């Protein structure tokens, strides 16, 4: 299975406009973590998760298939970045207390990745996989956003996007003591800031590539009369599954 890279071509936008994750998500993950020596953040992108883990662990190893994204990733002295497949890494057996994957497991060969997790995890290490679904803007804007998501750019999503919509329900998770939890990341954003976030979506990039026009411009025109001039609450619903590697 060939790895899929949908983000190198707009890594600068990704680094500026993708969200990070709330503190209560990390609190939930860490409550059962057996140690704080070493963590692996897989498919780290621009290092949103690696940067947070660096405040909590002695060492963080962060991998991605996109060298461009890693160049732009947040830098801290105890983070080591390297390009690597999720399913085949350079790490030694029994290396990690925690393994994380944020908004990326649906791009993997999931069975092969979990086999690699079993190899590189310490006994009783924690594996945490999470994603976030369609952004929520409020009752007055959500119907416009849903139409854009399903109809305007819907045909341009990769098939893997269905796993986000289904909250990974169809993806295997062969670990013990499995727990599920939900969180919300909230931001106060201007409409222009929100538009630039949408330009990081892989379906929007594919639409631009195929049609040589930016679909976000039309959405801006639809949202603008309702959004107004100021900032609005933008909510990202996060779903997480956590297990223990035994």
């Amino acid at each position: 299975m060939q790895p899929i890279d949908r983000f190198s071509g707009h890594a600068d936008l990704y680094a500026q406009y993708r969200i990070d994750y709330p503190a209560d998500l990390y609190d939930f993950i860490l409550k059962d973590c057996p140690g704080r020596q070493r963590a692996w953040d897989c498919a780290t992108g621009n290092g949103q998760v690696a940067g947070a883990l660096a405040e909590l662990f002695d060492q963080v190893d962060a991998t991605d298939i996109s060298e461009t994204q890693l160049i732009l990733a947040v830098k801290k002295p105890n983070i080591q970045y390297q390009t690597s497949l999720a399913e085949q890494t350079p790490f030694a057996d029994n290396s990690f207390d925690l393994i994380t994957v944020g908004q990326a497991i649906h791009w993997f060969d999931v069975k092969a990745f979990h086999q690699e997790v079993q190899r590189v995890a310490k006994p009783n290490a924690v594996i945490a996989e999470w994603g976030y679904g369609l952004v929520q803007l409020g009752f007055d804007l959500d119907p416009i956003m849903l139409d854009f998501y399903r109809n305007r750019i819907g045909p341009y999503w990769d098939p893997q996007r269905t796993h986000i919509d289904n909250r990974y329900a169809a993806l295997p998770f062969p670990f013990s003591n499995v727990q599920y939890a939900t969180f919300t990341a909230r931001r106060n954003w201007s409409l222009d800031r929100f538009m630039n976030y949408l330009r990081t979506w892989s379906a929007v990039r594919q639409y631009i590539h195929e049609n040589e026009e930016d679909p976000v411009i039309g959405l801006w025109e639809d949202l603008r009369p309702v959004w107004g001039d100021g900032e609005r609450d933008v909510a990202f619903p996060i779903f997480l599954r956590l297990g223990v590697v035994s």
Side-chain angles (χ1 to χ4, degrees):
M1 179 178 178
Q2 287 294 108
I4 300 173
D5 181 0
R6 290 288 184 264
F7 305 102
S8 289
H10 58 286
D12 54 341
L13 284 174
Y14 199 97
Q16 292 180 70
Y17 297 116
R18 279 290 174 130
I19 66 165
D20 52 9
Y21 300 103
D24 55 347
L25 179 146
Y26 294 105
D27 291 341
F28 184 87
I29 290 170
L30 291 173
K31 63 183 176 58
D32 295 319
C33 197
R36 300 284 184 91
Q37 286 73 48
R38 194 176 178 190
W40 169 29
D41 183 42
C42 184
T44 194
N46 65 354
Q48 303 107 313
V49 176
L53 294 179
E55 302 298 318
L56 303 166
F57 284 78
D58 296 338
Q59 178 180 340
V60 177
D61 292 88
T63 60
D64 203 280
I65 61 171
S66 170
E67 185 176 357
T68 306
Q69 288 231 77
L70 295 183
I71 290 170
L72 297 172
V74 58
K75 303 300 189 293
K76 293 187 178 181
N78 60 333
I79 302 176
Q80 180 174 337
Y81 291 106
Q82 55 187 312
T83 55
S84 174
L85 297 173
E87 302 86 353
Q88 186 176 0
T89 70
F91 304 126
D93 295 357
N94 303 318
S95 292
F96 297 105
D97 303 288
L98 173 68
I99 298 168
T100 58
V101 187
Q103 194 73 351
I105 186 69
H106 51 290
W107 297 112
F108 299 174
D109 178 334
V110 177
K111 181 179 179 181
F113 169 67
H114 287 156
Q115 290 174 343
E116 185 69 350
V117 168
Q118 295 281 1
R119 184 184 71 80
V120 302
K122 295 178 181 178
N124 300 315
V126 167
I127 168 74
E129 301 172 355
W130 67 88
Y132 55 91
L134 181 61
V135 60
Q136 298 170 351
L137 303 174
F139 72 93
D140 52 349
L141 294 175
D142 282 344
I144 302 171
M145 194 66 226
L146 184 61
D147 180 70
F148 176 80
Y149 177 75
R150 287 182 175 172
N151 300 319
R152 186 69 185 278
I153 64 166
Y156 298 89
W157 287 111
D158 289 279
Q160 291 90 335
R161 180 70 190 186
T162 60
H163 293 303
I164 292 291
D165 294 334
N166 296 333
R167 298 189 167 200
Y168 294 166
L171 296 179
F173 196 61
F175 302 101
S176 61
N177 301 329
V178 174
Q179 301 175 60
Y180 299 92
T182 59
F183 307 89
T184 303
R186 294 190 177 275
R187 302 290 181 269
N188 288 308
W189 281 354
S190 68
L191 180 56
D192 286 345
R193 173 66 177 77
F194 180 63
M195 294 296 97
N196 280 322
Y197 157 72
L198 293 181
R199 290 186 174 101
T200 71
W201 282 8
S202 60
V204 169
R205 307 314 302 182
Q206 189 63 24
Y207 185 103
I208 293 171
H209 174 72
E210 293 188 24
N211 298 283
E212 298 184 349
E213 67 174 32
D214 183 355
V216 171
I217 294 173
L219 179 64
W220 185 94
E221 293 171 350
D222 292 337
L223 293 177
R224 178 72 177 81
V226 185
W227 189 292
D229 295 327
E231 296 183 338
R232 287 188 60 132
D233 181 68
V234 178
F236 296 87
I238 301 167
F239 54 91
L240 175 142
R241 60 186 189 179
L242 180 149
V244 174
V245 184
S246 54

